[in-house]
């Protein structure tokens, strides 16, 4: 279980390789270009589209275990690889369920896990309309205020529009023996216009009863979906005080990036420990932290040196993904801020947040 | 200053790439094989011997700044590259001095920096005989008890045999503007038979006066040698209570590996920040730590999975270098142990040290 195949060449794969190399793992990456962020670090590159079944088979043949850093890949390719005896984690069946958001939510609902009320047609307005497939970072979600609103087209479902007081996320790790460990919940903040996560805070507040409830719901949701590796569970705290599952991702997730500095074991190391059959590490929070995404604010070659120079200093940890082009709203990197207390880190975050927009080189 | 060329494909280069990728740096490595530990992670590989001047010129032409992870390289190649206008850090002149241990020690002595008494012929016996060039990890050092002892051959010099009560090391960073920052001293322990460092402890004790003296001597020594990047300064505390410089390395060093977990900025990140013109990071010690080297105890393909499985658990951080062959005494990786107190970490180290010998796959 030394060779890890990763389908996808983005930042999640890159951070897996950075975390897994010191564990003695070696990496092959399937992605279109050998200059993709994860491919650049991998000892082996399999060129191809993430929907190319033959390329997935080639990667899985090389690897001792194959995983993925993105859901939008050929699940048929994964299944064909599994049929040849290749080890795939999480199991392809997990991805079928994850990639149909309606089926995913129904499965949770059937197990008694709290989710917003679901329907195939609008129960009443306003209502949340969601694409069953293909959405991410706020794409594939619309709020309809009346039957006349145009909406997203076919292949959609509806969720009750709940009042959201706060959003939390919990990383849940599951090993090959089925043991489950969850991380302390973090609070997520979003850019309302782009609907992209801009800030993650750990610990996620001081209401220990609420945090315990988040962890419990997240563990139940991850168990219901199954699969070996980490699952990110995004949660709503409603204005009525309920904790509802918003969405699952069967992989390391933006909400867990701060685990590199803040937790005893990062989500990337934990995912690899699970799929490689190594003992899981402690998910303990070691120190307060805030993660800020570095989003593009221009188009062109990113001004990485200027960003790296200004995002330096005590408690500031830069993670640049190495994408060759910046575009408005594109995730170009993140920073994790650490300090002695949650309040101190939040103050640092307020000071630094105006510096996080990534410009183009002049 | 985005492209970093590294001469040498070993673990120090590998850990530089792991530290520098999140800073937005990209790496080219000159080493014999593209499967060498650092080469495997680098986007660009220049195949060649470390003594191949043409290969050094090719790497330096690709890179914005070129550095090295080992001293045993062609300094002539470095100088030829510098003459073409390539940026080389530390400067080739530093390496000339470092590679002649007698000249190095003389230069320190002339500046009033405390070193063991030096001579070209034995002053009295017993005496330490050292090869002027090429020694490392205890090679190139002999203790002669009488003129009849065979010794190391020609091109040697002699040092007074001082009584050593303890050994310390200090990492000193110097940026392109000449500013200097030193790390808190660590204590080093050696295998007396192999004369290889087996254990490094941070903090290096509780005698603040002594630690301040170590830091002062190390900063003076690093300033005397010059060069941009980190310099590791190994120190003797003599039984008479003096702090003497034993040896310098113009690069990240085994004594600083625990900075990855224990310090605000690792020695690898700091070296890259210095040579790439980024602001230096804080060298503050965040928590007590012990580093144990994982030395080979057999010959063959290393049993990495067994090692990774048994060296897991709270406070245990594995760093496997990915060498294809284990040999007795070879540095195959290291672990850093962290905890709340120095005593707690030392207890953990005593428990784990018997598990650190690397066996071959059966």
């Amino acid at each position: 279980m030394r060779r890890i195949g990763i389908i996808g060449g983005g930042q999640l794969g890159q951070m897996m390789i950075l975390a897994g190399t010191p564990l003695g793992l070696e990496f092959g990456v399937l992605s279109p270009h050998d200059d993709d962020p994860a491919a650049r670090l991998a000892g082996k590159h399999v060129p191809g589209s993430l929907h190319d079944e033959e390329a997935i088979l080639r990667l899985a043949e090389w690897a001792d275990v194959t995983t993925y850093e993105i859901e939008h890949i050929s699940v048929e390719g994964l299944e064909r690889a599994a049929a040849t005896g290749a080890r795939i984690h999480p199991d392809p069946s997990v991805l079928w369920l994850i990639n149909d958001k309606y089926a995913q939510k129904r499965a949770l609902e059937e197990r008694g896990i709290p989710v917003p009320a679901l329907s195939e047609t609008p129960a009443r307005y306003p209502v949340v309309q969601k694409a069953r497939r293909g959405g991410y970072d706020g794409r594939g979600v619309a709020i309809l205020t009346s039957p006349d609103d145009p909406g997203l087209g076919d292949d959609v479902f509806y969720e009750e529009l709940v009042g959201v007081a706060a959003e939390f996320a919990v990383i849940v790790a599951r090993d090959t023996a089925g043991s489950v460990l969850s991380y302390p919940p973090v609070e997520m903040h979003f850019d309302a216009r782009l609907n992209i996560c801009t800030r993650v805070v750990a610990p996620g507040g001081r209401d220990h009863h609420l945090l315990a409830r988040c962890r419990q719901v997240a563990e139940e949701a991850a168990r219901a979906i199954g699969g070996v590796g980490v699952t990110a569970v995004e949660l709503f705290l409603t204005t009525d005080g309920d904790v509802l599952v918003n969405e699952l991702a069967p992989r390391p997730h933006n909400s867990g990036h701060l685990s590199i500095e803040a937790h005893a074991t990062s989500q990337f190391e934990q995912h690899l420990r699970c799929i490689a059959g190594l003992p899981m590490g402690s998910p303990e929070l070691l120190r307060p932290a805030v993660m800020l995404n570095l989003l593009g604010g221009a188009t062109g070659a990113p001004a990485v040196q200027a960003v790296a120079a200004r995002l330096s200093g005590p408690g500031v940890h830069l993670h640049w993904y190495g994408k060759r082009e910046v575009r408005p709203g594109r995730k170009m990197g993140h920073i994790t801020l650490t300090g002695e207390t949650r309040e101190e880190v939040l103050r640092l975050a307020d000071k630094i947040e105006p510096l996080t927009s990534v410009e183009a080189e002049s």
Side-chain angles (χ1 to χ4, degrees), chain A:
Chain A
M1 235 81 85
R2 206 180 62 200
R3 288 178 165 186
I4 308 292
I6 303 175
I7 302 169
Q11 64 261 28
L12 300 176
Q14 180 182 81
M15 289 186 276
M16 280 190 213
I17 298 175
L18 294 174
T21 298
L23 299 178
L25 302 174
E26 297 177 24
F27 294 89
V29 164
L30 162 57
S31 74
H33 309 291
D34 67 1
D35 190 42
D36 293 325
R40 222 177 293 154
L41 290 177
K44 178 171 178 74
H45 180 243
V46 175
S49 145
L50 308 188
H51 298 281
D52 177 344
E53 296 183 28
E54 302 305 324
I56 290 175
L57 285 166
R58 276 197 298 280
L59 179 72
E61 193 185 354
W62 172 86
D64 297 319
V65 54
T66 298
T67 189
Y68 35 89
E69 54 123 50
I70 182 167
E71 297 91 307
H72 304 123
I73 63 177
S74 166
V75 188
E76 294 84 353
L78 283 187
E79 288 188 324
R80 284 179 55 195
T84 69
R87 218 179 252 106
I88 313 284
H89 289 313
D91 193 85
S93 63
V94 171
L95 207 44
W96 279 126
L97 198 58
I98 290 284
N99 280 345
D100 178 345
K101 288 189 183 173
Y102 186 56
Q104 179 199 132
K105 282 286 181 67
R106 275 273 179 247
L108 295 174
E109 195 178 46
E110 281 162 15
R111 303 242 190 166
I113 293 161
V115 294
L118 300 168
S119 56
E120 293 189 44
T121 53
R124 56 177 161 149
Y125 293 88
V127 71
V128 179
Q129 187 189 54
K130 287 191 169 179
R132 284 180 72 150
R133 294 164 195 286
Y136 68 98
D137 277 351
R139 291 177 228 195
V141 180
I143 294 176
L144 307 188
T145 54
S146 82
D148 304 329
D149 275 1
L152 302 165
D154 297 335
D155 207 22
V156 295
F157 69 103
Y158 298 88
E159 284 185 6
E160 169 195 14
L161 179 65
V162 295
V164 176
E167 298 196 36
F168 294 93
V170 176
I171 300 293
V172 183
R174 191 165 168 276
D175 68 15
T176 48
S179 296
V180 158
L181 273 182
S182 65
Y183 281 65
V186 297
E187 195 177 345
M188 302 183 75
H189 297 265
F190 290 83
D191 177 298
R193 190 175 51 86
L194 298 170
N195 201 25
I196 289 185
C197 171
T198 53
R199 179 187 280 209
V200 173
V201 183
R206 290 210 175 90
D207 181 342
H208 295 292
H209 180 78
L210 169 64
L211 297 180
R213 174 70 183 147
C214 286
R215 224 159 155 167
Q216 179 202 355
V217 170
E219 288 187 16
E220 284 171 7
R223 277 185 210 275
I225 298 294
V228 171
V230 303
T231 301
V233 184
E234 294 185 75
L235 301 163
F236 290 141
L237 170 67
T238 71
T239 46
D240 296 335
D242 293 326
V243 172
L244 307 181
V245 174
N246 174 30
E247 209 162 304
L248 299 183
R251 52 167 170 79
H253 185 259
N254 202 170
S255 63
H257 288 0
L258 47 61
S259 61
I260 295 173
E261 285 86 9
H263 296 76
T265 310
S266 83
Q267 65 168 347
F268 302 101
E269 176 173 344
Q270 195 75 288
H271 183 71
L272 294 167
R273 286 185 166 275
C274 289
I275 69 171
L278 291 169
M280 286 194 286
S282 162
E284 187 196 352
L285 180 68
L286 299 178
R287 45 183 174 166
V290 171
M291 191 244 24
L292 301 176
N293 276 326
L294 306 181
L295 302 179
T299 301
V304 50
Q305 289 176 260
V307 171
R310 74 174 177 258
L311 297 177
S312 291
V316 182
H317 309 272
L318 175 64
H319 298 265
W320 185 259
Y321 304 151
K323 297 176 184 177
R324 295 297 182 206
E325 197 191 345
V326 54
R327 293 191 295 268
R330 192 177 195 198
K331 287 179 185 169
M332 301 301 294
H334 75 268
I335 52 174
T336 302
L337 308 173
T338 54
E340 292 301 308
T341 66
R342 190 171 186 270
E343 288 62 39
E344 178 194 324
V345 186
L346 285 169
R347 273 197 303 275
L348 182 60
D350 289 340
K351 210 179 89 185
I352 286 192
E353 196 156 27
L355 308 176
T356 56
S357 177
V358 177
E359 67 271 30
E361 270 182 355
S362 55

